[in-house]
Every structure is written in C-alpha cells, then in structure tokens.
Amino acid sequence: MLTAYKPTLEELWFREALLADAETMAYNAAWGGTIPFPRERWTAWYGAWVEAPASQRYYRYLYAPERRAFIGEIAYHYDAQEAMYLCDV
C-alpha cells in the first residue's frame, strides 16, 4: 500500500531527480522538458510547499513500503486567479 510521506529537506534529492528525468517530464516537452531544481533553491521551495499550511499548499512523496522507495509525488495548492484547487500526482 502506498503512503503519503513528508520529505525532509535533504530528501529533496528525489524531487530533483524526478524533474531531471526526461521520461518523467515528457509531458512537459512543449515547455522545455526537464526542469532544473538545484540545491540552492531547496530551502525556499521547502518552506513554501512542505511547511506551508495545508489550507494553502500540500506536498508529499508517494512511498512504497514494500519496496522501501519513493515512487512519486502528490501536491495541491489553491489558485486564487482560477478560484480552485490544482492537484498534481
């Protein structure tokens, strides 16, 4: 069974790897493909997404205990311009 896992700042290596993987980011090819996520951006991003109140933003890894591995990410945030929550899996 998959679980939602709150990553530590140091575990953002997984998000960096996801964003750098061409196959994972193939959906984004029309807008440039992979996305750099260098370590110097981690602290600010972590504060805005992982430590933010859940009513504003939510970010977790999908964790597969049987594999003892992160396998994806889930997130949502409120978009005031669209007046709706946007979700990512």
Side-chain angles (χ1 to χ4, degrees), residues 7-63:
T8 65
L9 181 64
E10 290 302 312
E11 290 170 329
L12 289 184
W13 62 264
F14 179 71
R15 177 170 171 71
E16 180 182 35
L18 279 177
L19 294 174
D21 182 75
E23 196 171 328
T24 299
M25 297 302 292
Y27 74 92
N28 196 45
W31 297 276
T34 60
I35 301 170
F37 188 56
R39 184 173 281 275
E40 57 269 11
R41 291 183 38 207
W42 292 9
T43 300
W45 188 92
Y46 191 88
W49 280 92
V50 180
E51 294 179 333
S55 62
Q56 296 173 10
R57 293 182 181 205
Y58 178 86
Y59 180 85
R60 297 294 185 267
Y61 286 164
L62 287 175
Y63 180 73

Side-chain angles (χ1 to χ4, degrees), residues 78-86:
Y78 186 75
D79 184 312
Q81 185 175 345
E82 297 294 326
M84 70 170 91
Y85 282 92
L86 301 176

